Every structure is written in structure tokens, then in C-alpha cells.
Amino acid sequence: MNRRRFVQTAGAGILTVAGGLWACQGSPTLPIPETRVGFKRLRRREARGALTAGMDAAIELGDDRRIEAWGYDGSTPGPVLRLRRGDTLDLTVRNALSQETTVHWHGLLPPPEMDGHPADSFAPGSTRRYVFPIDQRAGLSWYHPHPHRRVAEQVYRGLAGPILITDGQEDALGLPPGADEHVLILGDGELGAGSSLRYRSGTSSDRGGFPLVNGAAYPEARISGSLQRLRIVNAARARVFELGTRPERPLAVIGNDGGLLDRAQRVDRVTLGPGERVDLLMDPRSPAGDTGPFDLWCFRTSWSLVAFNVLGGGRKPGDLLPDTPPVAPLPEPAPGAERTFRFEGHSRINGTRFRMDQTAFRVPFGRTERWHFRSSGGTPHPIHVHGAHFQVESRRGGRGRVLPWERGWKDTVLLLNREEVSVRIRFDRYPGRYLLHCHRLEHEDEGMMLNFEVEA
């Protein structure tokens, strides 16, 4: 259901879905996640605080209508954790859910015992403390649950939150600040009976009949006429978003999973698989100079994700293609330092299903390797690696090339039907146990995941 149909159907009086009656006269305002709720900046450069995973959040449908959701600190998405390189994250998470959970810091590089492995899940009513240093480039990461066989439902119901890391290199670029910077957490939903989301597990369907952005259906946002920065996380459990603007507005990719690119890239559209992130600069004026309303659009589903209304004013839009810091390539892997991973059906990698107590392979600490991710057909597989970032070298079959938003450093890469993607990767931060898995979350829950060991 697109924005117009959603609003028109509701505006006619009653929206009836799965036995529930919903009135919705208009679109909600785009929610802005709170920043660093409960955090205290200490002399030792610690970001210390607490976070609660609970069942007390809500999704905004418009006209003051809400449906029940799960969230962190009572909101979905959870608060923005805004950190700086050199900080130490010190966060105690309380589980107020009815099932076990854990927190994975997707895109961060913590030691293995802090990574949120499924084996480290903690029970309802208990807490877990996460403490680790932030020593990586500026960029957009996110946090979400990782309990085995529970990930898809927990993320779908709203358990996700953004992480923003800053550093001196990013500071020097003069990127859009404050109200001109927008963190957008993408998902989708399906209305159930009563006042809650309907969760239906499925390994082949995208599910979700309408989009959600920052926990709101078809939201609207008012922006200035200045250059805008859109920092986008695909937190959907299965859906691939093909993003652009409609009517067209100039866009440039300046960053992705692992931070700023080595060169900004002009684009018309960006394809984002579950778990991936993108950092965009957007000129709110059309190529002809028009400042009328426009939408952030998903072309795969003809969804209006956010309706932007330009209020005028602000600074004159700046350069869409700023000079971004260089990214050094990883060295050429030594002969024989290669591995191939075949993603088969919806539950197996190289013919194997995940076992909590099994280590599938071992990687020497500090050695650069070439990994080949190969699809055996079927639905998309967004491939995520814990414990390191990687550099995408090539894509064969399917789209047949490395795309502009796949340059620089990545931790998740989208593998479509019959594609093979090759990456260079090196684990040089911590030894210990990490995960390789498909980030289509029902696939992960069904066993499309492997433990591996980084050897000291």
C-alpha cells in the first residue's frame, strides 16, 4: 500500500486490517530519535549509561494513532548512541522482554565477548554490561538483538537503534550539521488484530505491507533549503530497498557501512540490503532549481518513504562531492589465502546449518584473505561478517560490477540470485570467535550462519 492509498483509504473514515479498525486522517511527522539517552560524558572519555530492551514502544500511523511495538528505552528506533573515536562505550542493557535477547553492535569492532554472539544471550529480567573501546573511522553503525531463532521477530517488532561515530577527519569536511542531518532507520510492517504488529515468519517473502521510517508509517518532514545529509540504515528483516528521490533531486553517496568513501559518488538510486547503511548528501532543489515537495522513494515497491517539504531559508546548498579522506586498499592476499562460501536455499552455507558449539573454520590473525560469496539461487542474501570490515573487489553474474556505494569499507554486502561477490578481508583487531551469516533474518534464524575463530 502506497502513501496515497494508505491516507485516502484511512481518510475515507475507517481503515480495516485483520479485524482491527484504524482511523488515519494524515501522515505522522518524521520522528527524530533521541540522542545518547542516559549517557554521561566522563573525564576518562567513557560513554557510560543504561539501555532497556522492552515491549513498551509504539509505531506512529498518523492522526495520533499508534500500534504497539518493542524498542529500546521505550522507543523504536532506540536512542542514537553518538560516540567519538577514542571513547570507551560502557553500557548496561536490561532485558524487559518476555524472551532472551542480546545486543550486537553491527559495524563496530568489539572484542568477541562483547560482540553479542547468540551464545551470550541473557534471560528476561537480567542485565548485561558491554564495555569496549571505540577505535575506528567515523561512520554509521547500528545495534540490534542477536539471539538465535529470535532475531527476525525482535528486530521486526522494533528493536534497533543507530550509532554515530565522529572523528577529526569527518569534522574537517564541514558536512551538514544539526537539523540538516537526518538519521533514517528503514523497516516495514503489517497490521494485526488489535493494536500490534502482525509477525509472520517466512524465508522467501519480504512480508510487511507498508514502510516504516523511524517507527512511523509514511512520515512527513520539513527541511531547510540547505544541503541535507541522509544517514540511512536498512533495519528490515528481509526487504531490499531501492532508494532515490521523486521528483528527482541531486544525490551523492559519501559513505557506507565502514565510514566515508575514498571519493564521493553521484547517484540516481541506491540499492540497500538488510543490514547495509548509506550516507547521502541531497540537494533539496531540483536540477531546474525548484524547491517544491518531493519524496524519498523506494522504487522496488513504489513506496513513498518520507515526504519532504522544503521551507526555504538555510544556507546555500554546498558541494555534493566533498573531498573525502583516502581509503588504503588491503594488500593482495598471499597464494592460497582464499575461501568460498556458498549460500544455499534459506538455511545453509557450504551445506552446513549453524550449530552453536561448532567452529566452521579458523582465520590467522592479521592475514589478508580473499573470500568469495556465491549464491546458489533464490532470494537475496545480504552477507554480514562480524569482527572486521572488508573491501569489495568484484561481482560476477547478476549485476556484474561493484556499485558506487560498495566502495571503501563494508561489513555487509548484497548477494542477488546467481551472483558471486569477492572481497578482501583481514582480522587484525581481536582474536576469538565471530560470526559469518546472511542478514535476511529468517535465514539467519533457520541456520544460515557459521562460527569462525580468529587465531592469535
Side-chain angles (χ1 to χ4, degrees):
M1 184 180 294
N2 61 31
R3 174 191 298 277
R4 179 172 295 178
R5 184 178 171 199
F6 188 91
V7 174
Q8 285 181 344
T9 304
I14 300 293
L15 175 63
T16 306
V17 185
L21 302 180
W22 297 97
C24 180
Q25 298 299 327
S27 297
T29 299
L30 176 69
I32 300 174
E34 294 187 73
T35 298
R36 208 159 51 210
V37 173
F39 272 54
K40 298 178 180 178
R41 185 68 60 187
L42 304 179
R43 291 180 182 178
R44 297 189 304 275
R45 295 193 68 186
E46 291 181 352
R48 179 180 295 176
L51 198 66
T52 296
M55 305 165 71
D56 53 350
I59 286 171
E60 302 287 339
L61 296 181
D63 192 31
D64 294 325
R65 297 288 178 169
R66 299 175 177 84
I67 56 174
E68 296 170 355
W70 299 358
Y72 292 104
D73 283 1
S75 67
T76 179
V80 178
L81 308 185
R82 191 178 285 269
L83 304 164
R84 192 162 183 85
R85 187 171 193 171
D87 285 351
T88 294
L89 177 69
D90 186 342
L91 191 64
T92 299
V93 180
R94 183 172 71 91
N95 183 0
L97 304 172
S98 59
Q99 52 191 243
E100 68 177 15
T101 193
T102 186
V103 181
H104 170 53
W105 312 97
H106 189 130
L108 301 189
L109 299 173
E113 65 273 14
M114 295 287 121
D115 189 51
H117 191 280
D120 298 325
S121 298
F122 51 103
S126 63
T127 62
R128 182 171 179 85
R129 187 181 179 192
Y130 296 91
V131 184
F132 57 90
I134 304 300
D135 183 19
Q136 59 191 81
R137 305 169 73 237
L140 170 63
S141 298
W142 62 302
Y143 57 96
H144 64 80
H146 219 301
H148 190 35
R149 300 192 180 279
R150 298 282 192 176
V151 178
E153 181 180 11
Q154 291 189 11
V155 173
Y156 170 76
R157 292 194 181 279
L159 287 168
I163 305 169
L164 295 180
I165 298 174
T166 59
D167 64 12
Q169 282 189 324
E170 184 185 66
D171 295 344
L173 295 178
L175 296 171
D180 294 329
E181 180 187 44
H182 310 274
V183 177
L184 306 178
I185 311 299
L186 307 184
D188 57 12
E190 182 178 357
L191 294 177
S195 58
S196 64
L197 285 173
R198 181 184 185 188
Y199 174 68
R200 294 187 293 162
S201 64
T203 54
S204 59
S205 170
D206 286 344
R207 305 295 186 188
F210 59 89
L212 292 169
V213 182
N214 290 357
Y218 300 108
E220 297 179 347
R222 297 179 179 183
I223 60 175
S224 77
S226 299
L227 193 67
Q228 305 290 302
R229 186 180 187 184
L230 308 183
R231 312 190 70 175
I232 303 173
V233 178
N234 183 352
R237 72 190 205 260
R239 188 171 302 281
V240 175
F241 288 89
E242 186 182 4
L243 303 173
T245 52
R246 183 175 172 183
E248 181 185 354
R249 294 295 186 268
L251 292 172
V253 178
I254 63 168
N256 57 15
D257 304 353
L260 296 168
L261 302 185
D262 57 351
R263 186 172 69 252
Q265 304 279 316
R266 286 190 181 272
V267 294
D268 295 320
R269 300 182 184 182
V270 172
T271 301
L272 211 60
E276 290 188 291
R277 287 89 69 207
V278 69
D279 195 342
L280 299 174
L281 291 184
M282 178 182 70
D283 188 336
R285 304 170 302 176
S286 73
D290 174 46
T291 57
F294 64 98
D295 296 287
L296 178 65
W297 193 262
C298 178
F299 289 90
R300 291 173 69 96
T301 52
S302 294
W303 279 349
S304 167
L305 301 178
V306 182
F308 288 110
N309 295 297
V310 183
L311 301 181
R315 301 172 298 145
K316 182 180 179 181
D319 190 357
L320 274 174
L321 300 175
D323 292 328
T324 50
V327 174
L330 287 171
E332 174 70 23
E338 299 195 22
R339 304 174 194 268
T340 298
F341 302 95
R342 298 181 308 276
F343 290 80
E344 303 162 346
H346 55 75
S347 63
R348 297 179 186 274
I349 304 174
N350 291 346
T352 300
R353 286 180 120 172
F354 178 70
R355 283 180 48 185
M356 195 82 75
D357 59 350
Q358 184 178 71
T359 299
F361 60 98
R362 289 177 168 80
V363 182
F365 184 88
R367 183 175 82 165
T368 301
E369 297 193 346
R370 179 176 287 114
W371 289 9
H372 306 284
F373 304 134
R374 185 177 299 166
S375 167
S376 63
T379 59
H381 299 299
I383 311 306
H384 176 47
V385 182
H386 294 212
H389 295 139
F390 53 76
Q391 296 173 346
V392 181
E393 282 190 322
S394 65
R395 175 179 281 106
R396 291 173 290 279
R399 292 168 290 169
R401 62 191 178 99
V402 178
L403 297 159
W405 51 90
E406 295 178 324
R407 298 171 63 91
W409 292 100
K410 295 278 288 173
D411 58 55
T412 308
V413 66
L414 184 60
L415 187 65
L416 296 185
N417 187 18
R418 303 296 177 183
E419 288 186 345
E420 179 176 319
V421 173
S422 298
V423 307
R424 291 187 193 184
I425 191 166
R426 180 173 64 195
F427 296 87
D428 55 8
R429 193 61 60 89
Y430 300 103
R433 177 187 57 184
Y434 288 104
L435 286 168
L436 163 69
H437 65 88
C438 176
H439 215 279
R440 189 179 176 104
L441 297 181
E442 272 93 2
H443 289 188
E444 175 183 330
D445 283 344
E446 287 294 311
M448 190 170 269
M449 185 160 60
L450 297 176
N451 284 320
F452 66 92
E453 186 85 15
V454 178
E455 297 180 313

